[in-house]
Amino acid sequence: HTLMTPHIMEHLMQLIHALYEPTGDGPHPTILALHGRGANAMDLLGLAPYLCGGRFLVLCPQAPLQVPLGPSGPVGYAWFPSPGGGPPDMSPIRAAHAALRSFLDTALARYPYDPRKLVVLGFSQGGVMAYNLALHQPERFAALVALSTWLPQPIIDTAPHLEAAQALPIMVQHGTRDEMIEVSRARQSVEALRPAHLSVAYREYDMGHEINGRSLADLSAWLQDKVLSPLVTG
């Protein structure tokens, strides 16, 4: 039966993660799903059954930094400290990037994934990490999904072979009423990618800092078209 459980694998993979595994033996198309600031490994797992009918294996690692959520003691997790409206410090982003690459190498050796159909998806702060992973290793991924997020310019500036990402389908979704990350930042991110002639689909929705039913349905249809439907040879 379908699994939807957290796996505690700190020693093997450094990052705690949750997993959704489709029925069947695989190999499965796979999504690396990166949560936003203040969330945890379970945050995006609930999307899995609604993306292409639950056909994707979904890996949800938990960010390494603890973030207090209130005076009573609950905590969430973050990939890097909040920039507070200014440009982010790239040092912790690079550290989190290295941790994610290590996690992905180990996780993909463990789970029955299809290496030709690996998607990286990130929401909010996790979207920054998704941009970083995909633009630095575009040959590794079949698609990039950036939800309610932004793209820091240093990520573009340090991507070693950005022209290799021209074959990478990219979906960017954002809410016009986003109170956490203004929609203008998403528009600026898309414009920053245009000089590299990347294949970007950009869609806005009447929503806040969230994923709603319409955006999820559009994303599912896009993943079906760009990742599941194409015949991959070789």
Side-chain angles (χ1 to χ4, degrees), residues 12-64:
L12 291 179
M13 301 187 189
Q14 282 89 52
L15 298 176
I16 293 171
H17 68 290
L19 171 73
Y20 176 95
E21 188 171 357
T23 56
D25 296 331
H28 303 293
T30 297
I31 296 175
L32 174 67
L34 308 176
H35 67 77
R37 182 180 185 275
N40 58 40
M42 301 299 291
D43 187 59
L44 296 177
L45 198 64
L47 301 180
Y50 301 100
L51 293 173
C52 302
R55 292 176 60 191
F56 281 93
L57 188 155
V58 182
L59 289 165
C60 302
Q62 186 163 284

